[in-house]
Amino acid sequence: MATPIGNSADITLRALALLQRADLVACEDSRVTGPFLKRYGIQASLLPYHEHNAAKVRPQLLQRLRDGAVVALVSDAGTPLINDPGYKLVRDCIAQGIHVTALPGPSAVLTALSLSGLPSDRFLYAGFPPPKAGARAEWLAELKAVRASLVLLESPQRLADSLAAMADILGGAREAAVARELTKKFEEVRRGSLAELAAFYAGHGPPKGEVTLVIGPPPDQPEATAGDLDAALTAAMRQVPLRQAVDEVSAALGLPRKAVYARALDLRDRGQ
Ligand code: SAM
């Protein structure tokens, strides 16, 4: 069942009723869920179920369920299964014929998408980018051609670097929104192109609180051809220094900066 992502009033009547009658609440961290339940006067038996103990605890949970216990699965915040091992429990319940239902409610993913102002008719939730630059670049390259808005989670400390990589690989001109502290007092959505957002966070440092990122779909334009690239680079390099030309052209054509840079060096060496 979903629980609040910041504003403790975002809990449904149905969720409170189920938490009252559950025999067991499987939670990520009892230090988070305990105080939350206390706030609503609910005394429940809590069992931590998270990434690091999931394989060990899941058989116990399945046994309790087979014995007829009512088990509520919650995460620290938002909708379980969105970035936690909950799906493995649901999958095993289905395989074992154990009744499962879902109590919907808050999720940072849909809340950010709703507030982003970006197309919401088609979106891909992609979770957290890999923290290491090389793996992140490959991961972004796979997402580049997806014709949908992208919803990503990111830590505030890595946000500026991630945005720079996104501007480089997905194209600096792609529209995006950084949604911070959703449903909380200091809720804020900063909208702009990936290049603008990357520059903003590089200059201002990590934002306070939690962030979710939404990136609009790639522009509806045919892939730039090698001829388009050469023409754009040649024109830009006549006006501005090579690096600036590369930045401008990769953003305008939505091409990876690395590839545009290599081509620019080629053209320069051939004296074009
Ligand atoms: N299950 C959760 C959901 O459905 O929203 C997502 C859990 S994930 C482990 C935690 C990440 O969600 C945070 O690092 C952040 O990226 C995002 N997040 C959670 N609460 C948020 C909030 N109030 N505002 C913005 N992002 C949030």
Side-chain angles (χ1 to χ4, degrees), residues 5-6 28 75-84 106-110 112 125 128 152-156 179-184 209-213:
I5 56 169
E28 277 184 279
S75 61
D76 279 353
T79 299
L81 278 76
I82 308 301
N83 221 272
D84 67 39
S107 173
V109 174
L110 290 186
Y125 164 67
F128 283 95
L152 317 173
L153 309 175
E154 189 49 293
S155 84
R180 183 175 80 84
E181 293 291 81
L182 291 165
T183 76
K184 303 186 202 178
E210 298 186 285
V211 292
T212 297
L213 186 59

Side-chain angles (χ1 to χ4, degrees), residues 9-196:
D10 288 337
I11 184 80
T12 67
L13 298 175
R14 201 173 155 222
L16 288 176
L18 184 60
L19 286 166
Q20 288 277 11
R21 77 179 179 90
D23 298 301
L24 186 64
V25 176
C27 60
E28 277 184 279
D29 186 343
S30 49
R31 290 166 304 181
V32 175
T33 301
F36 169 70
L37 294 179
K38 201 166 164 207
R39 192 185 174 110
Y40 287 94
I42 297 171
Q43 283 199 320
S45 170
L46 299 179
L47 180 68
Y49 176 65
H50 48 69
E51 219 187 312
H52 305 293
N53 73 356
K56 200 166 137 229
V57 170
R58 200 158 47 249
Q60 291 173 38
L61 287 172
L62 290 163
Q63 186 58 52
R64 292 290 304 269
L65 286 158
R66 283 195 299 270
D67 292 345
V70 172
V71 176
L73 174 69
V74 299
S75 61
D76 279 353
T79 299
L81 278 76
I82 308 301
N83 221 272
D84 67 39
Y87 90 92
K88 291 184 180 161
L89 183 62
V90 171
R91 183 191 57 190
D92 287 358
C93 286
I94 293 166
Q96 297 184 23
I98 296 166
H99 173 70
V100 190
T101 190
L103 274 61
S107 173
V109 174
L110 290 186
T111 311
L113 183 67
S114 304
L115 279 181
S116 66
L118 295 164
S120 53
D121 52 334
R122 205 160 184 250
F123 69 93
L124 176 83
Y125 164 67
F128 283 95
K132 293 205 172 132
R136 181 176 59 203
E138 270 178 42
W139 186 85
L140 287 170
E142 264 179 40
L143 293 174
K144 182 175 160 62
V146 173
R147 306 204 75 77
S149 289
L150 306 173
V151 185
L152 317 173
L153 309 175
E154 189 49 293
S155 84
Q157 287 69 28
R158 283 198 279 267
L159 182 66
D161 274 0
S162 253
L163 283 166
M166 288 165 193
D168 185 12
I169 295 164
L170 303 178
R174 265 173 89 162
E175 290 301 305
V178 174
R180 183 175 80 84
E181 293 291 81
L182 291 165
T183 76
K184 303 186 202 178
K185 186 172 173 193
F186 296 108
E187 177 178 280
E188 174 192 67
V189 183
R190 186 166 292 278
R191 304 177 182 86
S193 68
L194 279 173
E196 286 163 353

